[in-house]
Structure formats: C-alpha cells, structure tokens
Amino acid sequence: MKSFVIINSDQVSSVNFNEVMEDNANTLRYNLDGTQTFVKFTGDTPSFITSETIYNEDDFSSYIGNYENGWCLDPELEEEI
C-alpha cells in the first residue's frame, strides 16, 4: 500500500530518493504556491520523515482534491478561465 507525506519545499534537499517512489527533485509535484510538495513510499517510513503526517491514498486524494488546501484550483473558477 502506498503512503504519502507532504513536506515543505525547503525540505526537498533532505529527501533520500532511494526511500521514496519519486526519482529525483525534478519529478516532484508542488502545490499552487510552490511551498509544499509530497513524496510517496511503500513499506517502512523514510528516515527523513520526522513529524509530518502520513496519509493513505484515499485521505491524500481527498486532501489535495480540496482546493482550500492549495493543491488545485477552485472548480468554479476553472470554469471561468
């Protein structure tokens, strides 16, 4: 089962990419204002994760799918664009 962790963008340099599913910093997806990103992993929690919340796939999808959390645009505003 995949797990997800949101980290601040200034933490990217501490990510051990051998412990997560992303290949390198260039493959990370950031929130709309660029202040946060996330990593995915299976199995043991990566060593660089300290106090961050670990999400399962359903909870993570709900979190980033809520525009109030800054990961996607408000669907009503998208229709106007």
Side-chain angles (χ1 to χ4, degrees):
M1 178 169 67
K2 281 188 224 175
S3 296
F4 299 77
V5 176
I6 296 171
I7 60 172
N8 292 325
S9 56
D10 62 359
Q11 293 174 274
V12 170
S13 62
S14 70
V15 173
N16 178 347
F17 287 97
N18 293 319
E19 297 180 295
V20 297
M21 299 176 81
E22 290 74 22
D23 296 326
N24 57 58
N26 295 327
T27 62
L28 297 174
R29 176 182 166 196
Y30 289 83
N31 64 348
L32 295 175
D33 66 7
T35 60
Q36 294 182 315
T37 187
F38 63 88
V39 293
K40 303 180 289 290
F41 64 93
T42 58
D44 295 334
T45 301
S47 60
F48 62 89
I49 300 300
T50 55
S51 60
E52 294 82 8
T53 302
I54 298 173
Y55 297 91
N56 65 36
E57 195 162 358
D58 289 338
D59 291 342
F60 182 74
S61 292
S62 294
Y63 183 85
I64 66 166
N66 180 342
Y67 75 91
E68 292 178 358
N69 294 324
W71 289 87
C72 62
L73 295 175
D74 180 342
E76 292 181 19
L77 294 177
E78 274 189 333
E79 291 175 7
E80 295 175 10
I81 296 177

